[in-house]
Every structure is written in structure tokens, then in C-alpha cells.
Amino acid sequence: MKNTKLSAITLALMTVMVSPTSWSATDPFAELDTAVAQSHQTHEQKLEEFYQYVNNYLDEYEQWRDEYTAQLDAEKAKHIEKWGTGDVSDQTTSVEYSDNDAVKKVIDYENNTATISVLVPADTSEEEAQKQLGNLSVDLDGDKLAMTDGQVSQQEVDYSAEQEKKEYNFIVEQTEAQMNELDNQAERLIHSNTGIPDSFIYERAYKKKMALVADAQERVKALRTLYKAKRAELGIPEPVVEPEPSPTTEPTQTAQTPKEVQQPEVKETSVAKTPTAEANDKPAAVEPMTEQSEQIAKVPQQPVTPEAAETTKPSVTDTPAKPTSKAATPKPMKVVSYTIKLPEGALKKRAEQYRPMADSESKEFDINPALVMAIMHSESSFRPDAKSHVPAYGLMQVVPSSAGYDVNRTIRNIDAPMKADELYQPPVNVETGTAYLHILNDKYLSAIKDEKSRTFCTIAAYNTGAGNVARAFNQDHSTNIRKAAGIINSMTPDEVYQHLIENLPYDETKNYLKKVSSRMALYQ
């Protein structure tokens, strides 16, 4: 068995479990009474107890996810109050604010730029603003980058409908990604042969997804209230909308059985997901539906934007905002920014730090090391502290409760999800991401005969799950991988690639496939 990077952690946990302190804290007679009571349970009672155990176990993670989302919303609202936009760090961007929230530093690793912005009164001269920026610098991998040669730009703090739409889209995309995680979690439970009926698992996932939709609606209401208040405070005209009736938020159920619910299709915003189908001949239990964005969007006072107007075809007019008090209108502010290009070779320097890990783990799991490097490049720009908003963590952006759990269970014989602090450790993260590629390549997608075709499918599945790859090929949109493999095996690799680009359900995954497959050439 592979000596994994988590062996020390596992041993430490075992030591705690059998330590005298932990034993003395328990009552052996109470444990005996519990065991006796359990031995007299009926089969139905035992099943009910197991279902409740699984439900409570998953609830614990979902509660943590909801707390994380609430904290993120609070952070974004704080920045919107001053900047008009709630920029925060993600897997490809680092965002830092000063203590008084008046200076913002952004490193965009995807576009290879660094920007420092300062908030100043709108009547501040460019020279005075540049003086405030002149002494500032950005830290990049331990080096300080001066902004003296940066490109200067300025704009007023913007509380327009377009800015509101940007924040609205963040909520929708994050919710879709979290809903997809619930789908992947359900499929993992089903294919783990736990003995829990499929209908119980699907129904639970359905209810949790509807709870996420309801929560997203409340988040959008709060966002709308915030922007509306700021527009009123600053005397900005408020767009008025007369929308047409929105689609129902109630998803339809499949006609096969009442308990098998139809699950929304979702757009991925992070990677390292658990595959959504085993390689078997069993038809998919559920079919996707496409009304998910409308479900999330159906809230009172939905943000008004050009995009929303195009969707709902409302008539839009501008009316002056009603003043909320006799107090003087706050002085308008503007943002003055310096932007520079990052030094040539910065990404290559970071990449070389992790090439030995990629080579070692690729050899262990029989994966092309160029694929591992291209995924690290695309996922995190080789930043071990990268974090997406699903959330996913580290160099290869692993989700602890799905891909992390799959690797723990399949490779490490640990029946538990991973933890964030584990995935921030580069050796553990690269091992986990590479092991997950191995699971995709050798288990879920093993029926695909051509190695190049299988690589294309593996890249897409790493981003969106194997089930969505199957849907791109199956005419009935089922998640049956073996059925899809029959179609894939009749195509050339170039045809497979083009079919994925044309038929994957999400643009984000199409772009991901293009980026990773092209970047592999950099690391051959």
C-alpha cells in the first residue's frame, strides 16, 4: 500500500482515540448498555439510525459551508459600501485591503498584472492621488514590486446596475457550484454501496439544493437592498422595472418514481469534483433541468441590468431616487489605480518549485506529469494558498468533501473527507489531485480506449465531473459513462475534443479544457 502523506496525521488521530485520557472520559457501563439496546433493534430501526447518522454527518459539513458563505457575504458587503464592488480573493486572484479599507491591492495571476487602487474624493487631482500611490508596493513571492512605472487610471465609485449585476452573478455562480457539489456527493454515496436507498439520497440532495436556492434568494435581496440604499444616499437615479412573470421555482419530478427527483444542471466554478457516474450499464436515475438560474433569480426586487432586461424583456425607465433624509449628500469618491505587468518568469519560477512533486506523484499514479503541471497552472497559477468560493483549496483546487473524500476512501482507506489545512500543504495537495486524476483515468473513464481521447475527457471531468462528460455524448443526457464510452470509442481524439467543446453544458468547462490541454505542451 502507498505510504501516503497523510499517514502521520492518521496515526496521530489513532493515538488520541486510544489514549488513557480519552478512555477515562467514557463510561464503559453506559457503552455496554448502548450496545445491548442496539442489539435488540429491529432491522428497520437500524436502517433508520444509519440514515440519521449519514444525514447528521453531511449536515455538519453543510453547516460549515453555510457559515463560510455568510462570512464571505459580510466581507463583500463591507467592501461594496466603500468601493461599489466586493472584490475578494479567489483561486487565480489575490485581493488585499488596508485596515481602513481605503487601499486595495490586486494580483491577477491569470492576466499577469498587479494593481494598487486608492479611494479619494472625486475632486482630488491626479497628481495628489499619485502621491498617495507613489510609496505603495505589491508583494509577489517575497519580492516588492514598485508601482512607479504603472499605468494610471481613475473612475468614480460605481453603484450602477451593471456593478450590482456583477455581484448578483457571483451569488448565482457560487450557488450553482455548491449545488453541483450536492449532486456529486449524492452520486458518491450511491456508488459507495452504503445500502442507503437511492431515493433517500436523491431526495436529501434535492431538499438541500432547494434550501441553497432559498438562501440565494435572500442573499440577492440583501444585495439589492444594499445597492438601492447606496444609490439613494448618493442621489443616483434608481432603475424601475416592470418584469414579466418569472418561471416557477418548483422543479418537476421524474415520471419514473415519485421519490426520484429531477436535479438541476449546474455550472462548475471550481475543480476536483467527485465523478457523477460509475462505468456501468445502469441508466441515470435523474435527468437534468435547465431552469436553475431562473430559480435562483426569482426574488422580489431582482437587480435590474441590461442582461436581466434582455432576459425578462421589461420596460426600464430612470426616476430620481427619493432622498432618505435632509442630511447633505455624501461627497462622491473615485478610485485611482496603478497597474503594472508582473515580471517575466514569475510564473515559471513558481512552477519549478512543484515540478519534482508532480513528477514523483505522476510516476506513483501513472499519470502524465505534464497534465498535473497544466492543471496546477490553470487552477492556482502554482499558488499553494489559493482558495475558490466553493470552497476548493490549494495547488490543484481540491474540494475536501468530494474529490478529497474520494481519494481518502479509495487510496488511503480513510472513510472521511479531507480538511482545508491538509490541502494547503503542497505535498498532500499534489498527491490528492494526482490520485484523483488516477481515479478518473483508471476507474470512471477506463472504458475509453484511446489514451488521448481519455485524457481530454479526464481534463473535463476534473472540472465538472464524469457525469457531465457522459451527458455531452449521450443523446438522452444520462450520466452513464459506459454508454458514452461506446460513442467516444467510435471517434478520433480530435473529434472527441471538438465534440466536448461543442457539447459540454458549461462554457467554464469548455474554456478549462482548452486551457489545460494547450498548457500541457509547456511542461512536456
Side-chain angles (χ1 to χ4, degrees), residues 276-474:
T276 55
E278 288 273 11
N280 54 45
D281 293 322
K282 191 175 179 179
V286 294
E287 290 297 328
M289 71 179 189
T290 58
E291 293 84 3
Q292 178 167 328
S293 294
E294 288 84 350
Q295 293 174 20
I296 299 173
K298 189 185 177 185
V299 295
Q301 301 180 333
Q302 183 177 329
V304 182
T305 69
E307 292 88 345
E310 191 174 309
T311 302
T312 59
K313 299 180 182 178
S315 60
V316 181
T317 59
D318 285 342
T319 59
K322 294 181 179 179
T324 56
S325 70
K326 295 182 180 180
T329 301
K331 197 171 185 179
M333 303 291 285
K334 69 178 179 181
V335 179
V336 181
S337 303
Y338 268 10
T339 299
I340 63 170
K341 279 287 186 181
L342 299 181
E344 292 294 331
L347 184 139
K348 183 178 180 181
K349 180 180 176 182
R350 290 196 303 276
E352 289 306 311
Q353 296 180 58
Y354 304 109
R355 186 184 287 273
M357 291 183 195
D359 289 342
S360 175
E361 298 301 338
S362 297
K363 184 177 180 180
E364 181 69 36
F365 291 106
D366 194 24
I367 293 294
N368 185 346
L371 174 58
V372 177
M373 292 293 288
I375 284 178
M376 277 194 275
H377 183 162
S378 303
E379 292 297 347
S380 66
S381 297
F382 300 101
R383 295 166 52 238
D385 59 346
K387 177 182 178 181
S388 74
H389 299 132
V390 171
Y393 299 91
L395 288 162
M396 298 185 73
Q397 287 294 280
V398 177
V399 178
S401 62
S402 53
Y405 200 165
D406 211 16
V407 171
N408 261 0
R409 195 171 185 275
T410 305
I411 305 298
R412 301 176 180 128
N413 294 319
I414 301 173
D415 191 14
M418 298 185 70
K419 298 185 182 300
D421 58 357
E422 296 169 349
L423 292 169
Y424 280 137
Q425 301 172 37
V428 175
N429 190 285
V430 177
E431 178 194 50
T432 303
T434 309
Y436 185 66
L437 288 170
H438 161 74
I439 292 170
L440 288 170
N441 186 72
D442 288 24
K443 181 180 179 183
Y444 292 103
L445 304 173
S446 60
I448 300 173
K449 296 177 181 178
D450 184 88
E451 183 178 350
K452 192 172 182 181
S453 295
R454 192 165 63 251
T455 296
F456 290 143
C457 292
T458 297
I459 293 169
Y462 192 89
N463 178 263
T464 193
N468 281 330
V469 171
R471 283 176 179 151
F473 291 93
N474 291 330

Side-chain angles (χ1 to χ4, degrees), residues 206-226:
Y206 173 80
K207 290 177 179 178
K208 292 294 182 179
K209 285 188 290 184
M210 291 303 97
L212 275 177
V213 169
D215 184 58
Q217 291 174 342
E218 294 303 313
R219 295 170 66 193
V220 170
K221 286 183 187 178
L223 180 71
R224 171 62 172 162
T225 299
L226 174 57

Side-chain angles (χ1 to χ4, degrees), residues 141-204:
D141 303 329
D143 298 325
K144 288 189 178 297
L145 305 180
M147 309 297 289
T148 51
D149 296 327
Q151 181 180 352
V152 182
S153 63
Q154 58 181 321
Q155 62 181 35
E156 290 188 2
V157 173
D158 186 5
Y159 291 98
S160 67
E162 288 75 16
Q163 282 291 345
E164 185 178 347
K165 178 64 174 180
K166 175 184 173 183
E167 299 300 332
Y168 166 80
N169 285 340
F170 175 91
I171 294 174
V172 172
E173 291 168 6
Q174 184 192 33
T175 301
E176 288 176 342
Q178 291 175 342
M179 291 173 77
N180 193 55
E181 280 304 303
L182 288 168
D183 284 338
N184 288 334
Q185 177 181 273
E187 293 292 346
R188 189 189 73 242
L189 283 171
I190 287 168
H191 296 301
S192 294
N193 297 318
T194 60
I196 301 176
D198 292 6
S199 59
F200 175 89
I201 296 171
Y202 280 128
E203 191 168 346
R204 183 190 185 281

Side-chain angles (χ1 to χ4, degrees), residues 26 38 73 75 77 131 151 201 254 273 376 427 440 463 513:
T26 62
Q38 288 176 340
D73 281 352
E75 180 185 355
K131 286 181 183 179
Q151 181 180 352
I201 296 171
T254 59
K273 313 298 185 195
M376 277 194 275
L440 288 170
N463 178 263
L513 174 58

